[in-house]
Structure formats: structure tokens, C-alpha cells
Amino acid sequence: MDGPSLDAYTPAQMAARVEQAGVGKANLDAASLFALAVLAGAFISLGAAFSTVTIAGIDAGFGITRLLGGLTFCLGLILVVVAGAELFTGNNLIVMAWVSGKVSTGKLLRNWGIVYAGNLAGALATALAMTWARSWLPPADPVGLAALKIAQTKASLPFMQAFVAGVFCNALVCLAVWLCFSARTTTDKILSILFPITAFVALGFEHSIANMYFIPLGIFLASRPALAAASAQAGIQLEAVNWSGFLSNLVPVTAGNILGGALLVGGVYWFIYLRKPA
């Protein structure tokens, strides 16, 4: 008797699995959906924190530093996919079930709204907890300065640059999630995540949920006089690191994430594999 297949699912099978998963996600009860979304916000934030520590004070060259930061950031999506959580950017793939008529517009928007709010809650809570968890004493701890530099860079992005970076980012994130639907083992899923996520971080693209951690953490740290003074000495300008700067980043990045994930990945693969020929 033949054992279970270890061959990867084909792209056509993956499309059917994504569609089925989208129906399940859209029908999940609100309390469970929100709790899973809070977990995803925290998981992505942990990946962001791991990445920040990895690149802080490193002198390995630009490309290697970006590569290491991207590899460590992968922790976030690995936790989301393997441990189980609801991530707004990955849930953009629910459009495949929506276009097929298996999920209503109301249920699609309900899922996105609850998950986005839960991701925000989880990311903010993690940023606040991380502020309390570390001493952040300059100049001995370079992590605080790295966190402030990341926040300043993101909060200062022009609208269109943030939007386009958001498009590319979630195309890669949703491709990582898409590849996970080809997997039959946990190892397959982890390997499916590594390269697309490392690429989006290394290329400097913008992820709305990660930025719910990066920029608020910068805001919390900027309120510490010693760290703010050290950042000024390091040439880090903090004028944009505030809640207005946070929103000016989050709005275009979120819009770009939706376009990149829902249309360029979900929409394209629906058209190829799930569309009923005329």
C-alpha cells in the first residue's frame, strides 16, 4: 500500500487550497479571528525585533547586512504560518474565494477589518512591551539607535514611494504564503518562506503590519531624552517619528499591500487556475 505523497502540490491544486482556506477564514468567528490576528501582529513584531538586533551596529557591508536582516525577519511569517495566526497581508489572498463567489464582499471586508485591527493591537502591545523590556542605554546598546533610524526612514517616505514599496512587499509576502500551499511538511513551509521574505526586507520594501511595530517603537523610544540626544549626535533626525508620520506611512503602505497581494498575486492566480472559461 502506497504511503502519503511527499510531492509538492501543483499550482492548480494550490489555487484550490487557497480558495478553500479563504472560505474558512471568512467564516471564522470574530473572537477567534481577532485573537489570532493579535498573535500575528505580535509574531511579525518579534521578527522585526530580531531583525533590528541583528543589524544593529553590524559592520558586514550593505548587502550582507540587508541579507541577515531579511533572514532573521522571516521568523515572523514562519510563526504565523506554522503556529497559526491571521495576518492581514496574507489574508489578501481571500480575494481568490471572493472572485469565485464563495465569499461575500461583506465577509471579505469583515475579515480584513478585524484582522487589521488585531494585527495593530498585537504590534503596538509588542512595541510597548519591548520598550519596557530593554534598558536602551546609549551608547552601549546600539539597538535603540537602529530602531530609531528604521522608524525615521519609514516615517519620512514620500507617499508614492511608500505605496509602490508596499505593492512589491506584499506581492512577495503573498507569494511566500502561496508557496506554503504547495507544502506537505513544516520544513517545506519554512523553506517556502525564506527567500521571498528575505528578498522583500533586503530590497527595502514596506510591510504595513511590520511598520505597526517599527514606527511606534521609534515613537516610544524618541520620548527618552538620553536616547533622543544620542540619536541627534548620530545624525538621526526624529521630526517625522510621531503619530502623524506613522499614519502618513501606514495609509499608502496598506493600500500598496492590498494591490500587491490581492491583485498581483491573488487576482492573477485566480485568473489562471480558477476562472471558468467562457
Side-chain angles (χ1 to χ4, degrees), residues 243-262:
W243 295 111
S244 176
F246 175 49
L247 289 176
S248 71
N249 174 275
L250 198 59
V251 170
V253 170
T254 300
N257 286 170
I258 293 171
L259 177 61

Side-chain angles (χ1 to χ4, degrees), residues 169-188:
C169 168
N170 208 34
L172 285 167
V173 171
C174 284
L175 282 171
V177 175
W178 168 262
L179 292 177
C180 287
F181 280 91
S182 74
R184 292 184 183 269
T185 70
T186 298
T187 301
D188 295 343

Side-chain angles (χ1 to χ4, degrees), residues 1-240:
M1 184 175 183
D2 293 335
S5 175
L6 295 179
D7 291 339
Y9 289 99
T10 67
Q13 291 172 319
M14 290 157 60
R17 297 184 74 211
V18 171
E19 183 181 65
Q20 183 180 14
V23 173
K25 289 174 179 289
N27 288 290
L28 196 62
D29 69 275
S32 297
L33 188 61
F34 183 78
L36 287 166
V38 171
L39 285 178
F43 290 163
I44 294 298
S45 297
L46 290 173
F50 189 18
S51 178
T52 303
V53 170
T54 301
I55 66 173
I58 194 172
D59 187 20
F62 179 80
I64 296 299
T65 300
R66 289 293 190 111
L67 175 65
L68 292 175
L71 281 171
T72 49
F73 185 87
C74 291
L75 169 68
L77 191 60
I78 290 170
L79 290 174
V80 168
V81 171
V82 179
E86 292 291 316
L87 182 65
F88 170 77
T89 46
N91 281 13
N92 285 176
L93 290 176
I94 297 174
V95 297
M96 295 180 72
W98 173 69
V99 178
S100 293
K102 296 184 178 180
V103 169
S104 68
T105 301
K107 285 189 174 182
L108 173 71
L109 296 179
R110 168 186 172 275
N111 178 280
W112 284 2
I114 293 173
V115 170
Y116 195 82
N119 289 169
L120 178 61
L124 288 176
T126 306
L128 190 59
M130 199 64 68
T131 305
W132 295 334
R134 294 184 59 87
S135 60
W136 308 104
L137 295 176
D141 185 356
V143 181
L145 293 179
L148 284 170
K149 185 174 181 179
I150 292 169
Q152 184 271 333
T153 300
K154 291 179 176 297
S156 301
L157 286 176
F159 185 97
M160 188 54 64
Q161 184 178 346
F163 173 78
V164 175
V167 173
F168 279 110
C169 168
N170 208 34
L172 285 167
V173 171
C174 284
L175 282 171
V177 175
W178 168 262
L179 292 177
C180 287
F181 280 91
S182 74
R184 292 184 183 269
T185 70
T186 298
T187 301
D188 295 343
K189 291 178 181 180
I190 292 172
L191 290 174
S192 294
I193 288 167
L194 285 181
F195 286 100
I197 301 305
T198 298
F200 107 65
V201 176
L203 290 166
F205 297 148
E206 295 290 307
H207 189 266
S208 57
I209 311 307
N211 290 359
M212 292 175 181
Y213 168 82
F214 280 127
I215 301 177
L217 178 65
I219 294 170
F220 298 148
L221 296 181
S223 66
R224 301 196 168 195
L227 194 53
S231 69
Q233 292 178 352
I236 303 171
Q237 303 299 319
L238 300 179
E239 288 83 358

